[in-house]
Amino acid sequence: MKTWVDSYTFDFPWETVVQAAYRKYPTRHNTNVKTLDTLERRCGQNGSGRVLFSHRLFGTLWNVPALVINILGFNEMMYIHEMSECDTVSKTLTISAVNVSLRSLFKMSEVLQYKVHPEHPSKTILQQHTVMSVHGVPLLGGLLETMILNSYESVISKGRLAVEEKAKEIKKEL
């Protein structure tokens, strides 16, 4: 099992970053996301007030070597289940994602939380926590975890670039 934790500061207000996070796909920075379906979106209540709940399904192409695809016998298209909760009172967007595809081989769960930066209210801080584990392939487990984590770190930076780009577009719209 591998864990990855990081934070990043966007030089945009929380409201802009949240819009950008929801609108970041499609993007030229991460062309492996091929499909994005919103399965449910509804308003509800939590302890602090009204919350927007969303449930989405992503279809992504992973850059996995053909040899690995053939050995393990899976399709190149991978699916990711995402649930989000946007609380406009506490100004917190929490996104939880987990892979649907290949769950018998590995599980990757990710939590992203966007909040107003505590020291710079005109900025937004993203805190990201990911846990990934490979199982069922004892001889290849460590190698697969390393490959997946390396690919993941590249996707993370591309995702942040996409949010930055969309935030700039939104700022121009205002």
Side-chain angles (χ1 to χ4, degrees):
M1 179 171 72
K2 294 197 185 268
T3 301
W4 189 82
V5 178
D6 198 20
S7 63
Y8 182 81
T9 300
F10 293 96
D11 197 18
F12 295 94
W14 180 83
E15 293 83 357
T16 303
V17 172
V18 166
Q19 288 180 58
Y22 277 119
R23 293 166 44 180
K24 75 178 179 181
Y25 297 111
T27 176
R28 64 186 171 90
H29 298 291
N30 193 351
T31 57
N32 67 324
V33 175
K34 299 299 182 188
T35 65
L36 172 56
D37 296 302
T38 300
L39 305 176
E40 178 186 19
R41 184 164 284 157
R42 63 182 168 80
C43 289
Q45 297 281 336
N46 70 5
S48 68
R50 293 184 58 86
V51 176
L52 174 65
F53 296 98
S54 296
H55 176 193
R56 303 191 303 177
L57 184 68
F58 290 81
T60 66
L61 289 178
W62 284 25
N63 296 323
V64 179
L67 177 63
V68 174
I69 291 171
N70 291 335
I71 289 172
L72 299 176
F74 64 86
N75 191 328
E76 232 180 325
M77 184 70 84
M78 305 285 184
Y79 293 95
I80 299 162
H81 174 256
E82 177 194 89
M83 299 292 286
S84 66
E85 183 175 309
C86 184
D87 185 329
T88 58
V89 175
S90 67
K91 292 195 174 184
T92 303
L93 169 62
T94 303
I95 300 172
S96 301
V98 66
N99 62 300
V100 175
S101 302
L102 299 176
R103 288 294 295 268
S104 62
L105 177 60
F106 77 96
K107 180 180 178 186
M108 180 178 282
S109 59
E110 172 183 52
V111 176
L112 297 91
Q113 190 168 66
Y114 297 86
K115 296 180 107 174
V116 174
H117 195 289
E119 296 163 11
H120 306 283
S122 64
K123 297 181 179 184
T124 304
I125 189 162
L126 164 63
Q127 296 172 322
Q128 209 159 358
H129 183 262
T130 304
V131 176
M132 192 266 302
S133 61
V134 172
H135 42 273
V137 286
L139 297 176
L140 297 174
L143 174 65
L144 288 173
E145 283 179 350
T146 300
M147 284 175 53
I148 293 167
L149 194 58
N150 288 343
S151 173
Y152 175 74
E153 287 177 354
S154 170
V155 168
I156 292 298
S157 63
K158 291 174 182 177
R160 291 176 181 171
L161 279 173
V163 171
E164 291 273 358
E165 188 173 88
K166 294 292 182 181
K168 288 176 186 172
E169 291 174 12
I170 291 165
K171 190 175 177 180
K172 286 179 186 175
E173 291 172 5
L174 299 176

